[in-house]
Amino acid sequence: MTAALTTDPRQAALTLRQGGLVAFGTETVYGLGANAFDVQAVARVFEAKGRPTFDPLIVHVSSREMLSQVVAEVPPVAEQLINEFWPGPLTLVLPKRDFVPDLVTAGLPTVGVRMPAQPLALEMIEAAGVPVAAPSANPFGRVSPTTAEHVIQSLGDRIDMVLDCGPCEVGLESTIVSHVHGDAPTVLRLGGLTVEEIEATIGPVPLLTAQQHEEHLPMAAPGSLARHYAPRKPLTILREHEVPPPGSDVGVLTLMALCSEASFGAVEILSQTGSLTEAAARFFGALRRLDAAPVSRLYAHSFPDHGLGRALNDRLTRAAAGAPANESNLT
Ligand code: TXA
Ligand code: MG
């Protein structure tokens, strides 16, 4: 059975209340939602995605009251971030309340929470009256979905409903900031809210390195597995202005126009004006189109290393690591 498609948040809310799985659009990417307090429904989320249960889910709330059902304590700095950036592409990892199921948090004493800035998603959560646990709505390790169509294509036969919220405006997952007990706030995952914006509000914030992730957070690594967001074709990352090897079997992902477009089988230009905001919104969709295009090898230019460019480079690096090896690169 294929998932029912709806644009009615109340219908989606009803399905959630009945224990169903509902994929829904947020401003970042589509999420695969279940009632966070319904362990069986949450278990089905892991099953549908093929996601290992050591990888915790983000809980989505629609109000401060709902936040207090999930989180035991909101430290002052987290409070500041919430006031400044919610609803929006920021997930906070905070101490959890006991009755948030261990399956949601992979047994961690903390929970990742966010309030999405998507009106239909907020209406759905509000109408459901329960927090909604939702990872990105893609099979584990693969490219994240930014339209209802993407979700139907990859998970349509494993879930109950898709709330079509239109294309995602931000296009990259939320930035995750952990702030637990005495520890200083730390960025666990780069994403749709830039580090510059966060630092303008609360001052310098360290980014957990990949190595620290492995040493300290083997269970909690947020989308931080080295291989993730992977296309099915080999993907090679080029420096910003490096010229890809020409060929009709070559697909190119690039920020702005190339002078030699005709030498490639497919070219995806993310923003004619070089806007990183526009590039982020189009990134995952473009990666999917290249994966489906009649080419066999993909090349992508890295992005300027600031603002959303940092999160884009992060996704690109993991996508390349997760993709099959490029035979022509082997010597
Ligand atoms: O924008 C987003 O964040 C999207 C939309 C649907 O909200 N969701 C999303 O979920 O990207 P997912 O599951 O693909 O990535 C969530 C990441 C996981 O990799 C997980 O490791 C991390 O968040 N995470 C969740 N709870 C955590 C916790 N308590 N401590 C550390 N990391 C946590
Ligand atoms: Mg994901």
Side-chain angles (χ1 to χ4, degrees):
M1 262 253 306
T2 307
L5 192 61
T6 183
T7 53
D8 178 3
R10 279 156 310 178
Q11 206 188 337
L14 190 65
T15 304
L16 286 172
R17 288 200 68 91
Q18 290 167 343
L21 300 192
V22 178
F24 61 100
T26 77
E27 78 282 29
T28 60
V29 299
Y30 271 70
L32 176 55
N35 174 353
F37 294 146
D38 179 340
V39 181
Q40 275 177 17
V42 172
R44 283 184 62 211
V45 169
F46 283 94
E47 199 180 288
K49 266 192 72 111
R51 180 182 177 110
T53 50
F54 61 72
D55 197 1
L57 306 183
I58 292 174
V59 174
H60 297 69
V61 299
S62 59
S63 66
R64 290 300 295 255
E65 292 71 54
M66 207 179 264
L67 175 68
S68 61
Q69 290 175 26
V70 177
V71 158
E73 178 202 341
V74 181
V77 177
E79 193 73 47
Q80 245 179 305
L81 291 172
I82 288 173
N83 288 334
E84 192 71 26
F85 298 115
W86 277 13
L90 170 69
T91 293
L92 290 166
V93 171
L94 298 172
K96 84 175 186 83
R97 280 206 187 276
D98 285 345
F99 56 79
V100 175
D102 282 339
L103 185 58
V104 171
T105 64
L108 293 167
T110 55
V111 60
V113 270
R114 83 178 192 97
M115 190 186 291
Q118 213 302 330
L120 294 179
L122 282 176
E123 267 184 63
M124 176 194 77
I125 302 166
E126 182 68 25
V130 288
V132 175
S136 52
N138 51 284
F140 183 69
R142 313 243 50 118
V143 181
S144 306
T146 52
T147 65
E149 189 62 44
H150 294 163
V151 179
I152 301 270
Q153 279 163 9
S154 59
L155 292 178
D157 55 350
R158 294 187 229 169
I159 65 180
D160 300 299
M161 189 173 279
V162 181
L163 176 62
D164 189 347
C165 302
C168 301
E169 276 188 15
V170 174
L172 294 178
E173 291 84 351
S174 61
T175 301
I176 304 182
V177 174
S178 164
H179 188 29
V180 182
H181 303 304
D183 295 356
T186 306
V187 175
L188 299 187
R189 177 177 73 183
L190 294 166
L193 181 67
T194 65
V195 174
E196 289 91 331
E197 287 171 281
I198 293 172
E199 293 190 331
T201 303
I202 59 167
V205 186
L207 171 65
L208 210 66
T209 64
Q211 197 187 350
Q212 284 168 320
H213 263 303
E214 280 178 19
E215 284 168 8
H216 302 296
L217 279 174
M219 308 278 150
S224 61
L225 297 168
R227 297 150 187 268
H228 216 80
Y229 316 106
R232 294 181 190 281
K233 293 173 184 166
L235 169 66
T236 305
I237 302 176
L238 304 171
R239 290 187 305 276
E240 253 177 81
H241 300 288
E242 201 177 337
V243 182
S248 57
D249 65 331
V250 169
V252 182
L253 180 69
T254 186
L255 180 58
M256 290 171 80
L258 293 175
C259 45
S260 52
E261 271 165 51
S263 353
F264 307 105
V267 177
E268 285 285 341
I269 295 163
L270 292 173
S271 169
Q272 294 289 352
T273 60
S275 152
L276 291 173
T277 307
E278 190 185 2
R282 303 192 59 228
F283 177 75
F284 283 128
L287 201 52
R288 278 168 189 269
R289 283 191 295 277
L290 286 175
D291 225 5
V295 295
S296 57
R297 301 178 282 145
L298 308 182
Y299 288 82
H301 279 130
S302 48
F303 296 89
D305 206 31
H306 59 80
L308 288 175
R310 292 181 67 186
L312 283 162
N313 284 331
D314 169 86
R315 300 304 187 270
L316 206 50
T317 310
R318 296 180 207 285
N326 187 348
E327 300 296 330
S328 69
N329 280 356
L330 301 176
T331 50

